[in-house]
Structure formats: C-alpha cells, structure tokens
Amino acid sequence: MTAADFLEQWQQHLVQGRRRSEHTVRAYLSAARLLLERGNYSGWNEIGEMTSGTLRAHLASRREDGLGNSSTARELSALKSFIGFARKQAGLSDTGGPRMRGPRIKKGLPRPVTPDDALGVADMVESTAVNDWVGARDRAVLLLLYGAGLRIAEALSITGSDIPLGNSLVITGKGGKERVVPILPIIKQAVAEYLDSSPWPISDEEPIFRGFRGGVLSQGMVQKAMAKARIALGLPATATPHALRHSFATHLLGAGADLRSLQELLGHASLGSTQIYTKVDSAALLEAYRGAHPREKS
C-alpha cells in the first residue's frame, strides 16, 4: 500500500464512519500524512504495531520543526486515533498501541489562554467526546465563547429562531441588556456542523444545544468537557469556559480595540467592568518584559 492508500481509507473512516467535522478531518489527515512521510510503511500492521519509542521520536522531530506544546498534544491525539484505526484494519487487538501522555506545560501566573490554545481546546473536546455529535456540539459552544465573547449562559440560550446564523447575532445578556455580536465564519460552520449531526429536532422556541438525552444542555456539561480537554493539553486550571470569554476580550484589546467598543461587545453595564482587561494586558506585557530583558535574567 502507498501513503495515498492509507490516507484515503483513513479519510473515508473519519468522514463516513465517524462523521468528523471538516476541520478535524483536515487536522487528522495532516498528522497522518506527516507520519507516513517520515516512515516506510507498506501495510496497516506496520502502523498498528508502532511502538511508543517510534511515535515519541516522530513527535520530537515535529517539535524541532517548531510545534508547540498544545499543538503537539493535539497531534498526539490524532496519531493515536490513526494507529488505533490501523490496528483494527490489521485485525490486531484494541488494547495495544503506544501509551503516551501529551507534553506538560509549565504552570505560571494565571493568564488568558493563547489563540492557539483556545482553538486547541475546542478541537480537543470534539476529538475526545464519547459521541461524534456531542463533540461537534461542545466545539461549537466553546468557539462561541472565544470567538464571540459570549457568556456560557448566553451561548446556551441561542434558539432555533437564530438559525441559520448570520454575520451577527443579537444576544440578551445580564439585566436584559441586548447587544449585537459579530459571528465569524468558523463559528457559523461549527454550529452548522453540530446541527447537521445532532439527532434532536430543533424548534424556534427551544435552545439548539441539547444534552445527550435531548434536554437543554447544562453549563456543567460544557465545563466538564473543557476540563477534560484542558488536562489533555496540559493547560492550567484557570483555563475554564469563562476564561475563553476573558481571552476574547484580552486579545481584542491587545490588537488595538478601544474600551468602549469592547464594553459593547462584552455587554458590560459599566466601563469599569471592562477596564479590568487593561490590567490583564499590562500584566502579560510585564511578564514578557521580565522574561526577555537581559537585566531581569541576571
């Protein structure tokens, strides 16, 4: 078999067998392609019998290419799935395969998650969910928190009347205060993929995000899913669903957004509530300064 043969069967499994999102399929195929390019495999059994040492060496080479900790953890998850598929194709037992943990990230001061980590968490909840549509659901919710700055309760309050999502969405926040938030293409796609895979009917009056048995999705289930993904990626305990909203604000402020605009996007009643993000951004700047300045290192 050629690398193209392996990838074609892997793609068919992801799309038809597992109904993974386009984003996940693309990421999983990329991880498998890189593995195949650096090895010489002619059959599924050779991939399925890969040792932890071989996989560790491959990931070490990827780290030399500049892959960060969070990206390495996601790639490890993708390759474990690929090797597990290879074992099934080769008729090997389900209990074998490399046993490896993702890289640990050194804990420091609590801070907003990076853009890479925010997207990494969203991808990880999808790939590690017990059910494909549940994974698509949790990814869509987390992207709404980070990509649109919604509170978790606001994301879970979106109803069928808001579907299909447009380029903006009217959200009713605390105190009944309404605001308009922009909806990025990645968010629209994630929500659409969840709705396509969800087994539950959607009505105009009811929230679109449903629990495993069809009831309204609870905040606790989203928090639990993110906690699992956070641990898998080695992120600190401060990486919670609400931290994604904080990260949305901090990254916008760092990119030049003014406080008044940020106040409107977040739905804060007073500017004072928004000004906390200037302190967060200043703290991140000070930390970077202390880590880079020669006199601070001496």
Side-chain angles (χ1 to χ4, degrees):
M1 294 179 63
T2 66
D5 296 327
F6 289 125
L7 293 173
E8 182 180 1
Q9 291 184 37
W10 179 224
Q11 182 177 21
Q12 288 178 353
H13 171 71
L14 292 170
V15 175
Q16 299 175 7
R18 300 301 302 277
R19 296 187 63 189
R20 293 298 191 186
S21 70
E22 292 182 12
H23 178 88
T24 297
V25 171
R26 186 164 55 249
Y28 275 37
L29 280 175
S30 176
R33 182 180 295 107
L34 288 169
L35 180 69
L36 294 171
E37 287 176 353
R38 301 187 182 197
N40 185 21
Y41 305 101
S42 59
W44 284 115
N45 62 307
E46 296 178 2
I47 299 174
E49 293 173 342
M50 184 178 301
T51 65
S52 297
T54 299
L55 183 56
R56 187 176 293 110
H58 170 71
L59 290 174
S61 69
R62 294 283 292 128
R63 294 297 293 271
E64 292 176 358
D65 293 339
L67 203 66
N69 281 357
S70 296
S71 297
T72 300
R74 295 203 303 275
E75 191 156 313
L76 173 60
S77 178
L79 290 176
K80 281 184 175 180
S81 296
F82 180 55
I83 294 169
F85 174 70
R87 292 185 67 82
K88 290 182 179 179
Q89 296 298 103
L92 302 173
S93 68
D94 295 337
T95 56
R99 296 181 179 275
M100 289 179 56
R101 291 185 177 182
R104 293 184 178 181
I105 296 178
K106 183 179 178 181
K107 293 183 178 180
L109 295 174
R111 56 187 178 185
V113 297
T114 66
D116 182 58
D117 287 340
L119 296 177
V121 165
D123 292 342
M124 185 64 76
V125 296
E126 180 181 41
S127 63
T128 58
V130 296
N131 184 287
D132 292 339
W133 76 266
V134 169
R137 177 200 69 192
D138 293 343
R139 180 173 185 268
V141 172
L142 295 186
L143 286 179
L144 280 164
L145 305 187
Y146 175 67
L150 301 189
R151 301 178 177 93
I152 187 169
E154 293 170 346
L156 299 184
S157 70
I158 296 174
T159 65
S161 61
D162 299 313
I163 302 301
L165 292 180
N167 294 326
S168 62
L169 179 65
V170 178
I171 289 293
T172 302
K174 290 184 177 181
K177 179 180 174 62
E178 288 190 346
R179 70 184 189 279
V180 178
V181 296
I183 300 296
L184 301 172
I186 188 176
I187 299 175
K188 289 193 286 186
Q189 181 180 356
V191 172
E193 289 175 350
Y194 155 65
L195 294 175
D196 286 342
S197 63
S198 174
W200 306 107
I202 301 299
S203 68
D204 288 349
E205 298 79 19
E206 294 182 325
I208 63 172
F209 293 113
R210 315 301 286 272
F212 193 78
R213 293 180 174 82
V216 176
L217 180 62
S218 68
Q219 295 187 30
M221 294 306 296
V222 179
Q223 292 165 344
K224 183 178 179 180
M226 180 155 180
K228 180 180 178 182
R230 170 182 63 76
I231 293 172
L233 290 173
L235 298 178
T238 51
T240 63
H242 194 64
L244 293 178
R245 171 174 155 90
H246 282 281
S247 301
F248 163 84
T250 305
H251 297 161
L252 280 181
L253 186 65
D258 63 90
L259 283 178
R260 286 294 182 187
S261 298
L262 197 56
Q263 178 188 1
E264 289 297 321
L265 288 173
L266 293 172
H268 286 161
S270 67
L271 189 61
S273 299
T274 313
Q275 286 176 330
I276 185 175
Y277 294 105
T278 62
K279 298 178 181 179
V280 173
D281 200 54
S282 296
L285 180 62
L286 181 59
E287 183 180 351
Y289 168 80
R290 286 174 172 169
H293 198 285
R295 293 188 62 183
E296 289 290 338
K297 292 182 177 181
S298 61

